[in-house]
Amino acid sequence: ISNIAEVESDPTAVANVIDEKVEIRVTGRVITIMNAENGVKVYDVSGRLVAASDVAPVQQVEVAKAGVYFVKIGDNVFKVVLN
């Protein structure tokens, strides 16, 4: 996959990879996705679907534990690392 961006669990971590509107932020165990124009799916490192939602201006996903997660928005995938 050529369009993967990595977001670390830093309160200031932001990924703007799809376009200027989409942002992904990580705070603690919460992944916040803003301005996604497509539905959002979040997978853990094992490939299990952790959360899925339709289009919304702000979507928040709270995960149970630290680790690597993948946020899929349309055809774009973001690697999110929570410490």
Side-chain angles (χ1 to χ4, degrees):
I1 300 174
S2 62
N3 54 351
I4 292 183
E6 187 167 329
V7 180
E8 296 288 334
S9 60
D10 175 338
T12 61
V14 178
N16 289 349
V17 175
I18 297 174
D19 58 39
E20 294 298 318
K21 294 185 260 180
V22 174
E23 292 185 13
I24 297 175
R25 296 180 186 263
V26 176
T27 306
R29 298 277 192 294
V30 177
I31 302 168
T32 302
I33 303 106
M34 293 171 279
N35 302 317
E37 294 182 359
N38 297 305
V40 173
K41 294 182 180 178
V42 179
Y43 298 90
D44 67 12
V45 74
S46 300
R48 287 183 297 237
L49 183 64
V50 174
S53 64
D54 293 326
V55 177
V58 176
Q59 300 170 49
Q60 291 189 318
V61 176
E62 186 170 356
V63 294
K65 59 183 180 177
V68 176
Y69 294 87
F70 296 93
V71 177
K72 184 174 182 186
I73 303 171
D75 292 331
N76 296 287
V77 178
F78 299 87
K79 178 182 175 185
V80 180
V81 180
L82 284 80
N83 297 320

